[in-house]
Amino acid sequence: MSVPIATPSATPVASPVPPQNTAVNTASVVQQASATAAAAAVNKKNTPAALLAQLEDSIVAGNIPQIVLSMITYATNVGSSDIHIEPLEGVVRIRFRVDGVLRVLIEYPTNIHPAIVSRVKIMSGMKIDEQRIPQDGRMQTVTQDGRNLDLRVSTLPTVNGEKIVMRIQDKSKTIPDLPDLGIEGENLKKMERFTKLPNGVILVSGPTGSGKTNTLYSTLNRLNQVGVNIMTFEDPVEYQMDGLNQSQVKPEIDYSFAYGLRTALRQDPDIIMVGEIRDQETIEIGIRAALTGHLVLSTIHTNSAVSSLTRILDMGVKPFLITASIRGIIAQRLVRKICSDCKETYQPEAAILQDIKTELSKVPQGQLDPELLTNITLTKGKGCAKCGDTGTAGRIGIFEIMEMDRELSALLIKGASEEELVETAQKNGMISLKQDGYIKALHGIIPIEEVYRVAQ
Ligand SMILES: [Zn+2]
């Protein structure tokens, strides 16, 4: 939406120096003060529509602190993960990432952009006079509806001026439990068995942005008790949990995941979480930790549960070490949920119907309600004001959870092919990503197209 701008006046608004606060050095003081003052001054209604109207008003008025506060408040209100402030030719565009997709919210005139950049830089502890190179910073702030946020901020010089991206971490957000992520039925039982293990390696696999970290946090939340020492090594620490010892690794000074893991073993741990397994060294120390009585959780960048095994073999790890330590592998994808306000059912065409039936006929006994396959209807969102005409709102995971058993271990030692491993895993109770997706589609939770998009 474009805002009709009143005369872009020659007020101090366009000045590259941020208003008022230049004398204050502590970024947090600036934000606290402005957040409180603004919260008192603004409309008490914090609905997305009211916040958007307020943002428009503050752009027209050239009220820089209010523009920044309003856009951050709006972003958290609509569940956005990132804010992009992008100078284009002749206009600056603000986009918000919601459910993984960028949406344009509003534009503002280029003359107030330098003041907005300066404001954000001060709040995030960056140098305001450095405009030629990218900068990184962090800010802690409070939205006008009282949420405590941690924002990772990054600037980038572009041909039209400095672009800003803010990654939002809502500290007031609670960690969802495993069923809220989409782990249900037999999958949930497997996860519960994993969390009761005294030792072993549990891996979560999937591409970037598939929700792996959320699954780890939800799992750690279940494991988080006063009697156990949980240590994490993350890059970055995305969510701070009470009771955990969370450490941010810094590869630039050689504080790597592998280094962290080695250190952890001298810190009397029970459970260790390592952000990602990328190399042989990290997985081997992880395996050693598991074999000496620790539960190790991590992620790996692969497409399926079984291909994670192949990937670890390719890293040069001996099969017997894998079968001795790895207890479970979760593969996942994030998919959009159907908007509850505009959902409607429809009859799928014959080919789709047949595909669903064929695929779900392979689901292991007892894991599928046969009722689901009689009178199949699918659901979609036709689009409404609430979902911005997308037909979808929010996201959920689809999962494939493999529990290592004797049969799989024997096959792996024997050097079996990926196909054989998949076949055996499915025979022994693993629901594939596609099957889990189809089941969620039949339950009217996700559009079937989302399954096609993420799972082949
Ligand atoms: Zn809708």
Side-chain angles (χ1 to χ4, degrees), residues 339 341-342 383-384 386-387 391:
C339 169
D341 280 24
C342 62
C384 68
K386 187 195 153 204
C387 61

Side-chain angles (χ1 to χ4, degrees), residues 52 86 112 162 220 255 265 322 371 374:
L52 193 55
E86 307 167 299
I112 61 171
E162 285 182 282
L220 286 175
Y255 179 22
L265 294 173
I322 297 179
E371 274 290 291
T374 57

Side-chain angles (χ1 to χ4, degrees), residues 24 37 78 85 88 125 151 163 176 247 269 289 292 297 302 320 334 357 369-370 423 428:
V24 187
V78 296
I85 308 175
L88 308 175
L151 288 97
K163 167 166 177 162
S247 185
T292 53
L297 309 173
T302 50
F320 75 89
L334 265 189
K357 284 184 172 165
D369 177 6
E423 208 173 286
N428 294 355

Side-chain angles (χ1 to χ4, degrees), residues 330-350:
I330 299 127
Q332 70 174 94
R333 301 287 187 278
L334 265 189
V335 292
R336 288 185 267 273
K337 290 201 291 184
I338 299 166
C339 169
S340 54
D341 280 24
C342 62
K343 64 161 77 176
E344 56 182 22
T345 55
Y346 68 98
Q347 294 297 319
E349 51 188 87

